Every structure is written in C-alpha cells, then in structure tokens.
Amino acid sequence: MRPLKVLSVTSEIFPIIKTGGLADVAGALPAALAQEAVRVITLVPGYPAVLKALKGAEILHEYPAFFGGAARLLSGTGADLDLFVIDAPHLFERPGSPYLAPNGRDWPDNARRFAALARAAADIGQGLVPAFVPDIIHAHDWQAGLVPAYLRLVAGPRPATVITIHNIAFQGIFPADLLFELGLPASMFTVDGVEYYGQIGFLKAGLQLADRITTVSPTYAREIQTPEGGMALDGLLRSRSSIVSGILNGIDERVWNPSTDALLARTYDRDSLDARSVNKRALQERLGLKPDSDAMLFGVVSRLSEQKGLDLVLAGLSRLLAGGAQLALLGAGDTTLEDSFQSARVVYPGQVGCFFGYDEALAHQIQGGSDALLVPSRFEPCGLTQLCAMRYGSIPVVSRVGGLADTIVDANEMAIATGSGTGIQFGPVTLGAAIDAFDRAKRLWRDKDAWRRLQTNGMKADVSWHRPAKQYADLYRSCVPET
Ligand code: ADP
Ligand code: GLC
C-alpha cells in the first residue's frame, strides 16, 4: 500500500481549541489514519491557544502581505499532533472563541480569516513546503470551503480534495463585494464556482469544486440531499450525489475510556458496572441533586441551540421528572435556553442540576454517572455524545435523525428479546414522541436485567475510529491515481 500524505484543514482541534465535535474529529483522526499508512498534518489558524501549544516551531514560509498583514507558516507539534500553523496576528491573535467576538457576534472579518486558512492550504497543496506535498487536502466545514477554489487558480498538478460537512447549517455566506479582497477572480463568481444566491458561499464553493464530498453519517448524507435537510444546498448535493458519502464518526478511546478515566470518581468496566453508583452519587453532589441511588438520573451534555432539541426536554420536564427522576445538564450557548433551565432548577430543587459553560471534566462525569443520556436533536449530522454514552454505560435516549439513527439500536420488544438494543430512539421529533421515550426509558430502567443488557451491549460496541479511518483511507485512495 502506497503511503499517502494528507493535509487536514480545520478551524478547531481537540485538545487545543474546541467548540464542538469537529475538534474531536480533527484531533482523533490523524492517529487512526496513521494505522492505514496515511500521514496527516493538520493546518490550523494561529489562535493564541494554538501558538501556546506549539512545540518545536519552525518557520516554513513568510508572507509579507497576507490578507491585510504579515504572516508566517509554522510547523511543529501540539498535543502530539503534527501541525502547520498560520501565524497571522492581524487575523487570529484574539482571545476566546475561534469564531465569535466578545459581544457574541461573528468576527466581522471572518470571511478574510478563513479565506486565509484555505489560501495557505492551497499554497501547501501546490508545493509551498517541499518536504510535505500532500496527495489529498481534506477540508472540514465552511471554514475550509475555499480550498478547492484557490487550488484552481493555478494551472498544473494539484492534490485531490475531499470536503467533509460536519453541519450544513453553517455555510459561511459573505457579500459578493469581498471577492477581490479574498483574491478570487470575477470568473469564479458563477454558479459553477463560489457564487451562491448572489453572495459568496464558502461551503457551497467547496461542495461545488471538491473531488469528493463526505458527511459524518450515511443517514445525514441522505437527509442533506432533501429540501427539508439540505438548507438550500440539496440541489447541488443531488447533482453531485455520485461523489457524496457518509462516514460515521468514532470517538477517541484514549480520551473516552471508563476503565482509565482520571476525571471520574471511580473507574469501571462492563464487569464492574455497580461501581458506577459512586460516580452517580458524586455527580448528584456536584450539581446539587438529591443524593438518591433510586432516582433515575438523566444527563445532557450539549451545545444549547435549536439543533439539539432541548426545548423538548423543557416542555416535557414534568413528565421526565415524574416519580422522582433527575436531570443533570451541562450546556453552553443560547442564553434563553440557559435561563429556562436555570428556572427549572429553582422549580425542581434537588431534581434538576445544571452547569452552564464548557467543562470537560463534568462532561465525563455525566457520562460516567448518569443512567441515561438525552440527545433529542432536530437534526444531528453524527453526534458524539451518544457514542461516549454507549462506551460509559449510560443509555442514549435519542431522536431518530442523522447519525443518531445510524448509531443507536432501539430497544424495541424484539431487540430486547434478541438482546441487541443499545438505547432508545424516538421519532418524529415531537414533544409527544419525546415524552413516550422518557416514559419508556423509565420503565426499562426498572427492569434491572434488561437495562444491564443494554449497557453491556453498548459497551461492547466498537465506537472507535478503526472502521471510519479505514473508510477515509479507502476514499482517499479512490481519488488518487495509483503510481
Ligand atoms: P456538536 O459538534 O454538534 O456540538 P457532537 O455531539 O458531535 O455535537 O460533539 C460535541 C462534543 O462537545 C462532545 O465531545 C461533547 O462531550 C462536547 N461538549 C458539548 N457541550 C459541552 C460542554 N458544555 N462542556 C464540555 N464539553 C461539551
Ligand atoms: C457537528 C455536528 C455533530 C457532529 C460533529 C462532528 O458539529 O453537529 O453532529 O458529530 O460536527 O462531526
């Protein structure tokens, strides 16, 4: 097997900078691909957190004028990842979120910031770093969407391009008058190029011009080709459907392993599931819940946004909590949702516990201490928390959409009889169906043997990156001519 060189292009990467699952994917896939003879170097913006993490930095190239200021391309390692970094203080030397200003709005120059990311990637694709000329550039989400566009500006050989859609709701749409500033010729402002309903569409450009399009589950690959799920890109995706595929995410088993997890009060495996009760008690104490092992404890670890369907949990809260059940929620995002959960905590003291913000340790503690994990998303490209829940013996209660449909086997009567269930699914995504699922989860929890089987089934399932990494490697090889 010929070794391949892949340049992965991403705006976030775990454990250095993360707002969601994209970071987890970008951070875990390189090590998994190394097993498939694929060498990955990841290009990331030089945010303060990235520059701080970077070790053994070397300057590969200096740009005197790069999207409004001087910039350098650095190489090095950070958190054991091989990195290329665009050190461009005028674009990236800003605290906090990679995308948002302190006022909570997008940075006004995001078009320029992420065009710079794509431009540097294209330069590397065209041989800027002789020691690493990639066979493939793998662009993630709209932030890297312009890579295939910039690669077309120069004649001659170019690497193949793969773009992965992690969430089609974010498309990177900007005014047409930025075209010149972004270094794109007028000839590209067409329906076959970067033009998108009269504006510049970064994701659209990527989908139009890449050699392969992937998304993070087979079901989402189908959903985004429908008017309901495609968010106006379904027509384009249907027209390119022969190069669209869905590859499920895995989780990093080095990070998510209940038998070694130092963030838990007590580690355990599937032969020592009773030890989870120590984690449940610790979680109840941490979040001000009544310390009661007989209370069924539902967990949530989520961005708080419309996508995640947590308004259904609020609307169905009295049914969820009926009979003394509890809710432990870790979330950040929409302040209206935060306020509502905050009020719920006051209305149901000892039954609802919340933490608002980003907290890696608490995310692990909810997985290791809750009885069930709620993921009632309206749409979900893949979802990682239900995979973590399976690995941690918390039973996922999920809506039947996207990657949730592809990763959870509903414990219906037959699945219980055959011992194949791993969670509870509901559909359509309505309050009524969600409430039925809550009730079903509570009934099943009372059947300790059946519950234990669900837990062990989930814990036995392979949710690692092994299989997905093979699928990516096959995909890469399918678009590079054998030499
Ligand atoms: P998305 O990328 O849409 O947010 P995923 O389920 O793919 O959803 O990934 C979410 C990732 O972020 C998981 O690793 C999850 O544990 C983590 N996460 C979500 N919210 C928080 C939070 N408030 N604090 C810590 N980790 C969080
Ligand atoms: C996105 C999606 C999520 C997916 C993640 C990583 O943020 O919302 O479903 O798991 O990307 O691919």
Side-chain angles (χ1 to χ4, degrees):
M1 215 164 27
R2 176 163 85 87
L4 284 185
K5 292 200 279 289
V6 173
L7 179 71
S8 170
V9 187
T10 177
S11 56
E12 48 184 276
I13 190 162
F14 182 85
I16 301 171
I17 178 122
K18 162 166 164 175
T19 72
L22 166 60
D24 294 305
V25 173
L29 200 45
L33 281 168
Q35 309 297 314
E36 307 299 323
V38 178
R39 164 144 164 74
V40 179
I41 299 186
T42 307
L43 175 70
V44 282
Y47 314 117
V50 169
L51 293 175
K52 191 159 160 241
L54 194 66
K55 300 215 167 58
E58 278 179 40
I59 301 171
L60 298 176
H61 184 74
E62 305 209 32
Y63 291 96
F66 195 61
F67 294 87
R72 305 182 305 174
L73 180 67
L74 308 177
S75 72
T77 59
D80 288 333
L81 294 153
D82 291 324
L83 300 178
F84 287 158
V85 175
I86 312 162
D87 179 18
H90 61 293
L91 300 173
F92 301 123
E93 195 182 58
R94 303 176 195 181
S97 156
Y99 318 117
L100 308 177
N103 65 10
R105 302 230 178 103
D106 288 346
W107 288 110
D109 57 349
N110 271 352
R112 210 162 7 123
R113 297 172 77 226
F114 295 107
L117 176 68
R119 175 81 249 190
D123 291 345
I124 296 167
Q126 270 146 352
L128 185 71
V129 183
F132 188 82
V133 181
D135 301 291
I136 314 269
I137 302 190
H138 188 161
H140 294 277
D141 272 351
W142 74 264
Q143 290 89 349
L146 290 184
V147 171
Y150 286 126
L151 277 172
R152 268 162 214 247
L153 297 184
V154 183
R158 58 175 181 86
T161 49
V162 175
I163 184 160
T164 295
I165 304 168
H166 294 268
N167 194 333
I168 207 160
F170 302 102
Q171 300 189 354
I173 300 169
F174 300 99
D177 59 14
L178 289 178
L179 204 63
F180 178 71
E181 195 182 312
L182 301 184
L184 293 165
S187 61
M188 266 209 173
F189 193 67
T190 66
V191 69
D192 300 326
V194 305
E195 190 268 342
Y196 187 48
Y197 296 108
Q199 297 189 283
I200 303 170
F202 279 35
L203 181 62
K204 185 267 175 175
L207 300 181
Q208 186 74 51
L209 301 170
D211 298 308
R212 297 284 189 283
I213 298 169
T214 75
T215 187
V216 287
S217 68
T219 294
Y220 196 59
R222 285 192 297 276
E223 289 170 349
I224 56 178
Q225 296 184 56
T226 66
E228 299 74 37
M231 301 202 182
L233 286 167
D234 49 294
L236 162 50
L237 287 166
R238 279 195 303 278
S239 74
R240 307 206 72 202
S241 66
S242 63
I243 59 148
V244 177
S245 62
I247 299 179
L248 277 175
N249 289 333
I251 54 173
D252 191 333
E253 294 182 305
R254 300 163 302 181
V255 177
W256 295 101
N257 182 347
S259 65
T260 56
D261 191 332
L263 299 168
L264 298 180
R266 177 73 62 84
T267 56
Y268 58 92
D269 59 25
R270 62 174 193 261
D271 298 321
S272 56
L273 275 166
D274 287 337
R276 290 184 94 254
S277 60
V278 177
N279 295 321
K280 180 166 174 177
R281 178 60 61 97
L283 180 59
Q284 287 170 324
E285 278 168 16
R286 177 161 178 192
L287 290 179
L289 296 166
K290 190 168 162 225
D292 179 358
S293 57
D294 290 331
M296 182 171 181
L297 177 50
F298 289 91
V300 170
V301 178
S302 184
R303 285 188 293 115
L304 300 180
S305 79
E306 160 83 15
Q307 173 192 346
K308 299 293 179 179
L310 294 167
D311 51 302
L312 298 176
V313 174
L314 281 166
L317 199 57
S318 61
R319 279 290 280 279
L320 183 75
L321 301 177
Q326 301 179 344
L327 175 68
L329 175 134
L330 166 62
D334 184 307
T335 46
T336 315
L337 279 169
E338 285 188 13
D339 291 346
S340 304
F341 279 108
Q342 184 68 9
S343 309
R345 174 158 58 179
V346 176
V347 175
Y348 297 100
Q351 272 189 286
V352 174
C354 311
F355 180 86
F356 304 112
Y358 183 85
D359 190 321
E360 189 68 26
L362 186 54
H364 286 242
Q365 288 151 8
I366 291 177
Q367 297 288 7
S370 61
D371 296 304
L373 190 90
L374 298 173
V375 194
S377 307
R378 294 213 153 69
F379 68 94
E380 195 62 73
C382 179
L384 298 174
T385 58
Q386 84 280 13
L387 302 179
C388 301
M390 280 166 78
R391 187 128 167 80
Y392 276 61
S394 180
I395 300 306
V397 178
V398 307
S399 50
R400 191 176 295 112
V401 297
L404 301 172
D406 293 341
T407 54
I408 302 302
V409 180
D410 181 59
N412 61 27
E413 292 299 320
M414 191 49 75
I416 292 173
T418 57
S420 57
T422 58
I424 291 173
Q425 277 192 350
F426 67 90
V429 192
T430 59
L431 179 58
I435 285 176
D436 285 348
F438 303 158
D439 287 347
R440 195 146 68 90
K442 289 201 280 189
R443 272 198 310 276
L444 254 177
W445 186 66
R446 303 250 157 252
D447 181 345
K448 295 298 168 202
D449 291 339
W451 196 262
R452 184 57 60 98
R453 266 199 305 281
L454 295 185
Q455 290 180 298
T456 44
N457 287 349
M459 294 178 86
K460 278 188 213 158
D462 181 3
V463 290
S464 75
W465 275 104
H466 297 308
R467 204 165 26 156
K470 279 194 181 14
Q471 292 172 323
Y472 278 112
D474 287 346
L475 179 87
Y476 295 152
R477 291 185 198 286
S478 78
C479 51
V480 172
E482 282 300 326
T483 50

